[in-house]
């Protein structure tokens, strides 16, 4: 998803070499070269390259890893984002919200608010939460709002991309590349869940990838 999202954005921002330029935040010219010139806008080219034997027999091509790090929405893994967190101190204040097929993110948010309400023991928050929930249910029945949310501008940007399906080999290689993230989900994120729906969503991710991580 991140690969194709960036491909679309670069087509908008960098239609030609003159308009494509780096800024203080990100080297777009390098990113464009990786996605279009080196990998031909095909995610499998990059994904499968991650499984090639690298120098010294190490698993994963160093060049492919550098390519992945050059793509804005792929550059940082989950492990990169949370590395350095002292989980022994912070876990009590961490509430994971998990986006996983088959699980409602809205239900997870509701569960988070309810958990915070019970933890703070503020009765007024309970009344406020109930009022917000009633309003949300009322809006859900609003036909105008439903039509608005169905508008293409609310869809994920990469849905309009012409995407090559991820190959079995590519899926396996990406699972290995993100292995530390899956280990983090199992060891740190799942125990940090405060509700059953959170734990089940994390376990669903781990179960879907289990056969690729052996």
């Amino acid at each position: 998803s991140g690969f194709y999202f960036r491909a679309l954005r670069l087509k908008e921002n960098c239609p030609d070499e003159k308009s494509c330029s780096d800024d203080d935040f990100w080297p777009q010219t390098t990113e464009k070269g990786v996605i279009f010139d080196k990998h031909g806008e095909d995610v499998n080219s990059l994904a499968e390259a991650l499984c090639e034997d690298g120098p010294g027999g190490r698993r994963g091509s160093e060049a492919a890893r550098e390519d992945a790090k050059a793509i804005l929405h792929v550059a940082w893994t989950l492990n990169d984002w949370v590395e350095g967190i002292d989980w022994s101190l912070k876990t009590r204040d961490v509430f994971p919200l998990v986006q996983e097929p088959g699980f409602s993110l809205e239900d997870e948010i509701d569960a988070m608010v309810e958990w915070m309400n019970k933890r703070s023991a503020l009765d007024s928050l309970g009344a406020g939460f109930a009022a917000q929930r009633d309003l949300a249910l009322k809006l859900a029945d609003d036909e105008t709002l439903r039509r608005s949310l169905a508008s293409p501008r609310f869809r994920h940007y990469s849905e309009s991309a012409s995407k090559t399906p991820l190959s079995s080999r590519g899926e396996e290689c990406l699972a290995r590349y993100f292995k530390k993230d899956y280990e983090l989900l199992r060891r740190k994120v799942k125990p940090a869940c405060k509700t059953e729906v959170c734990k089940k969503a994390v376990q669903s991710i781990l179960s879907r990838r289990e056969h690729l991580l052996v």
Side-chain angles (χ1 to χ4, degrees):
S1 179
F3 182 95
Y4 289 114
F5 173 83
R6 289 305 300 166
L8 282 171
R9 290 304 301 268
L10 287 168
K11 285 179 180 178
E12 289 183 348
N13 298 340
C14 306
D16 53 60
E17 293 303 321
K18 291 183 179 179
S19 60
C20 185
S21 61
D22 299 342
D23 55 34
D24 293 336
F25 175 66
W26 198 252
Q28 291 189 111
T29 49
T30 301
E31 185 182 24
K32 184 178 182 182
V34 167
I35 293 176
F36 295 101
D37 301 334
K38 190 169 183 179
H39 294 288
E41 203 179 348
D42 181 359
V43 71
N44 286 309
S45 172
L46 173 57
E48 294 177 13
L50 291 167
C51 274
E52 295 174 1
D53 290 331
R58 286 186 299 172
R59 205 64 176 153
S61 164
E62 291 301 315
R65 289 174 179 271
E66 291 177 6
D67 289 347
K69 293 294 185 182
I71 301 172
L72 182 57
H73 278 54
V74 183
W76 297 284
T77 66
L78 176 63
N79 196 68
D80 291 331
W81 282 107
V82 301
E83 186 179 16
I85 289 180
D86 187 340
W87 288 83
S88 63
L89 296 176
K90 295 290 186 180
T91 299
R92 63 177 184 169
D93 298 322
V94 173
F95 197 108
L97 291 174
V98 186
Q99 283 191 291
E100 169 70 349
F103 291 84
S104 168
L105 186 61
E106 289 80 5
D107 288 346
E108 289 190 57
I109 294 172
D110 287 350
M112 176 188 68
V113 174
E114 289 178 318
W115 177 82
M116 292 173 61
N117 180 27
K118 291 176 182 178
R119 186 184 178 199
S120 62
L122 296 176
D123 293 336
S124 59
L125 181 59
F129 172 75
Q132 290 290 331
R133 181 62 187 254
D134 289 344
L135 176 61
L137 291 172
K138 181 179 179 181
L139 290 174
D141 290 330
D142 189 293
E143 181 63 28
T144 302
L145 179 63
R146 281 206 300 270
R147 286 199 302 268
S148 177
L149 292 175
S151 170
R153 66 191 181 92
F154 282 99
R155 296 174 188 165
H156 192 287
Y157 198 89
S158 63
E159 287 182 6
S160 60
S162 177
K163 295 185 275 191
T164 302
L166 192 61
S167 66
S168 297
R169 177 67 169 166
E171 186 178 12
E172 177 186 351
C173 296
L174 284 176
R176 291 179 183 178
Y177 179 71
F178 290 111
K179 185 175 182 178
K180 286 185 178 180
D181 285 0
Y182 292 113
E183 292 175 351
L184 183 71
L185 287 172
R186 178 178 57 81
R187 291 186 295 104
K188 300 294 186 180
V189 177
K190 187 177 178 182
C193 284
K194 308 299 188 296
T195 63
E196 284 303 312
V197 65
C198 174
K199 293 177 182 178
K200 289 178 179 178
V202 173
Q203 185 56 52
S204 175
I205 295 174
L206 296 173
S207 296
R208 285 197 296 110
R209 294 289 183 261
E210 186 176 13
H211 68 289
L212 299 171
L213 299 171
V214 293

